[in-house]
Amino acid sequence: MKELNGISCIELEEAGEPRQQIMVSRSFSHPVTSFQELSESVASYTTTGAEKLRKDGSIAASICVFIHTNNFKPDEPQYSPSMVVPLNNPTDDTLKFIRAANEGLKRIYRQGYRYKKSGILLMGLHPKGTQQGSLFDDPAYQAKSDDLVQVMDAINKKMGKGSVGVAAAGVRKGWEMKREKKSPNFTSDWGELPVAW
């Protein structure tokens, strides 16, 4: 009753605990067998993860890439590997994450399997600006990298998610999850609000 009268009974937390890791993973619309499609999906999920990382004002020290076959089809060969790829220096650079994830994917990919899912996990998160610099850091490259990802994030925020991205994430994306039966986003998307005629 007190809440209805505007009296707070439970204190609100000003900010939650900072994230320890960021995971982005989806199932495919159909089984994927080619390295190219897996690489595109991993690059796409890595891009999304890096955007979340920058939004949090964090950097990551390593990236884990994983792929899975469909364990609900026991008659098919099963394979669900993962690999952690440490970075030379913690970063929030999308391109560095994609290169590292692709290296990990090359090591774990095996032909002859029908993959149902892929994903990435950004690990070793710290607030940006708290990492120790290295003798081999290139300030000019870092400044260009920061400018590039800031411009990409600004365009995607203004024009819509995925308006601009990296070529490694593919264009057609035939592997993407099907969404024909997805519920409308009445509460989170202006474009999907019901309109009375």
Side-chain angles (χ1 to χ4, degrees), residues 87-127:
L87 301 165
N88 291 334
N89 292 310
T91 187
D92 63 0
D93 185 338
T94 300
L95 300 179
K96 286 184 180 178
F97 287 133
I98 289 174
R99 276 194 293 273
N102 208 39
E103 283 303 312
L105 183 61
K106 283 178 186 173
R107 293 181 186 177
I108 61 175
Y109 171 73
R110 298 289 179 271
Q111 287 184 335
Y113 292 97
R114 291 161 51 88
Y115 297 100
K116 179 64 179 166
K117 184 177 188 178
S118 72
I120 61 99
L121 182 65
L122 298 175
M123 303 184 305
L125 275 52
H126 302 287

Side-chain angles (χ1 to χ4, degrees), residues 6-142:
I7 300 168
S8 176
C9 295
I10 300 173
E11 293 296 322
L12 293 175
E13 292 183 21
E14 292 297 320
E17 290 291 317
R19 290 194 235 204
Q20 300 299 311
Q21 53 193 16
I22 294 175
M23 178 186 275
V24 183
S25 174
R26 300 280 184 280
S27 294
F28 302 132
S29 59
H30 59 85
V32 168
T33 57
S34 76
F35 178 83
Q36 180 63 34
E37 284 187 297
L38 283 174
S39 179
E40 287 180 6
S41 71
V42 166
S44 179
Y45 303 152
T46 301
T47 301
T48 301
E51 286 173 3
K52 291 180 181 182
L53 186 73
R54 288 190 295 274
K55 188 175 179 184
D56 289 352
S58 299
I59 53 175
S62 60
I63 184 168
C64 175
V65 60
F66 57 90
I67 49 180
H68 296 297
T69 52
N70 190 345
N71 59 2
F72 292 106
K73 294 192 174 180
D75 54 318
E76 293 184 2
Q78 299 296 313
Y79 182 56
S80 299
S82 65
M83 172 165 274
V84 175
V85 182
L87 301 165
N88 291 334
N89 292 310
T91 187
D92 63 0
D93 185 338
T94 300
L95 300 179
K96 286 184 180 178
F97 287 133
I98 289 174
R99 276 194 293 273
N102 208 39
E103 283 303 312
L105 183 61
K106 283 178 186 173
R107 293 181 186 177
I108 61 175
Y109 171 73
R110 298 289 179 271
Q111 287 184 335
Y113 292 97
R114 291 161 51 88
Y115 297 100
K116 179 64 179 166
K117 184 177 188 178
S118 72
I120 61 99
L121 182 65
L122 298 175
M123 303 184 305
L125 275 52
H126 302 287
K128 188 169 183 176
T130 60
Q131 80 274 20
Q132 178 71 35
S134 128
L135 180 64
F136 304 106
D137 286 348
D138 183 351
Y141 173 83
Q142 189 57 49

